[in-house]
Amino acid sequence: MRAFAHPDQSRHAPQFFLQRGQVRPHFEVPARAEALLGALHAMRLAVETPATVAPEALHAVHDADYVRFLSEAAAEWAKLPEKGPEVVANMHPSPEMLAQGATLPAAMVGRTGWYTADTACPIGPGSWESILGAASCALAAADAAAAGGAAYALSRPPGHHAYAARAGGHCYVNNSALAVERLRQKGAARVAVIDIDAHHGNGTQGIFWERGDVLTISVHGDPAGYYPWYVGYAGETGAGAGAGCNVNLPLPLGSTDAAWLEAVAQAAARARDFGAEALVVPLGFDASEQEPLSFLKITEDGFARAAGHLSGLGLPTVIVQEGGYNTQVIGTLLRRFLEAWGR
């Protein structure tokens, strides 16, 4: 299996994180990439550094003005008086505002609220370089998978919560969606996404909501009690040409290997029935029983068995790193998953 990582991914070091009314240290830290990279080296995989893509490559799934905002945000924020060290919004447009024709303001604080869904996506001086490096890994892995086999993208920051023009949940650019579009460009008529991060892949769902050529499936903790709260329910099945092409498989708090693996197997069967010619797996380890914000209780063996279900589809596959925040265990989980994939 080919694997891709980019040195610029260590430049994003967010500090601000608001949880239940308290400001706490951010979980999405550079040490995550270091732990995962260490696992790849321990497996003796030749980790490749992709060429950094031009910002325009992100336009395949993202609004051009949004990409420009991400690239300029840190520098523009630095010009503000009495600013904090990172770009964080203190207001977001409400549904009522949007329904009444809300306008994107020129002011930096207003733009930040417009382009972010929550406060979990602070932007600092090195964030843009890391965002671009993560996307570069996903696109390089898609190119490798399109040539046959599977490829892994160590994409940090993660991406599956990012919409076409909105960051959220530690995610800025949707790396998995970029991989889907690249596989389509390389000739796959139908692509399946099977997201096994503990959180619903709401950004990916949103990007492909009306697409009939992309099947989006997410296995995740029940959003009635877990981020992203408002979407990720079983009744969300797509619209227009995409009607029936979105599948959500939410699981109750504390679900263990048996229920989770049953959902993963169901997802694989749906992808087979869809006639997918290529697969993207947004891989999060935050479903682990050892996660700091644990909702599900998945073991090492569970992740290895999930790899068996998904690799059994026999499709060209891009595995894109998403969540997983216990830096003491995510390297082991990655090794178990990739080793099981290769068997």
Side-chain angles (χ1 to χ4, degrees):
M1 180 182 293
R2 293 175 68 181
F4 298 87
H6 199 291
D8 282 350
Q9 291 182 75
S10 65
R11 299 183 64 178
H12 176 58
Q15 304 298 312
F16 184 89
F17 182 60
L18 184 65
Q19 183 185 33
R20 302 188 188 107
Q22 298 186 62
V23 178
R24 301 185 176 187
H26 210 287
F27 285 99
E28 210 292 283
V29 294
R32 294 184 62 245
E34 295 166 11
L36 295 165
L37 189 61
L40 296 175
H41 289 317
M43 294 174 66
R44 301 187 182 281
L45 288 175
V47 182
E48 304 174 51
T49 300
T52 302
V53 298
E56 290 75 17
L58 311 186
H59 297 173
V61 299
H62 289 290
D63 177 78
D65 288 338
Y66 170 64
V67 172
R68 186 179 308 110
F69 164 78
L70 292 176
S71 69
E72 298 173 348
E76 292 299 312
W77 190 264
K79 298 175 184 177
L80 297 178
E82 301 181 81
K83 71 280 185 183
E86 298 176 296
V87 181
V88 181
N90 61 296
M91 182 178 182
H92 307 273
S94 68
E96 293 85 353
M97 293 176 179
L98 295 170
Q100 295 164 20
T103 298
L104 170 62
M108 186 58 197
V109 173
R111 292 175 67 203
T112 302
W114 186 274
Y115 285 128
T116 57
D118 52 42
T119 59
C121 291
I123 299 173
S127 297
W128 169 243
E129 289 78 10
S130 292
I131 292 164
L132 206 55
S136 300
C137 290
L139 289 168
D143 288 339
Y152 170 74
L154 200 175
S155 292
R156 180 194 173 263
H160 72 151
H161 296 309
Y163 287 94
R166 188 164 289 113
H170 311 335
C171 302
Y172 305 82
V173 163
N174 198 310
N175 306 304
S176 293
L178 285 171
V180 169
E181 279 301 313
R182 182 58 64 87
L183 290 169
R184 289 282 293 109
Q185 293 167 8
K186 293 287 184 175
R190 296 164 77 82
V191 178
V193 179
I194 300 180
D195 188 328
I196 60 172
D197 186 278
H199 302 89
H200 173 239
N202 58 304
T204 314
Q205 171 177 299
I207 287 171
F208 297 113
W209 184 248
E210 297 186 7
R211 291 275 295 273
D213 56 344
V214 180
L215 174 68
T216 49
I217 308 175
S218 182
V219 179
H220 53 267
D222 187 348
Y226 202 44
Y227 188 94
W229 307 103
Y230 307 108
V231 291
Y233 298 91
E236 301 156 18
T237 59
C245 292
N246 187 77
V247 180
N248 288 328
L249 301 171
L251 297 172
L253 175 68
S255 293
T256 57
D257 285 359
W260 188 73
L261 288 167
E262 181 180 348
V264 172
Q266 181 181 342
R270 293 291 293 265
R272 187 178 293 110
D273 292 344
F274 178 71
E277 297 178 5
L279 175 67
V280 173
V281 178
L283 173 63
F285 294 124
D286 43 5
S288 166
E289 60 184 351
Q290 300 182 66
E291 268 296 298
L293 300 176
S294 178
F295 190 91
L296 305 178
K297 302 292 183 183
I298 309 309
T299 66
E300 289 182 24
D301 287 343
F303 281 105
R305 292 173 62 191
H309 284 308
L310 300 175
S311 63
L313 289 169
L315 297 173
T317 301
V318 184
I319 302 166
V320 182
Q321 189 64 53
E322 296 289 353
Y325 304 100
N326 185 338
T327 58
Q328 301 303 309
V329 303
I330 57 175
T332 298
L333 296 177
L334 178 63
R335 178 181 58 80
R336 290 293 306 276
F337 187 88
L338 295 184
E339 288 177 348
W341 192 284
R343 284 203 289 270

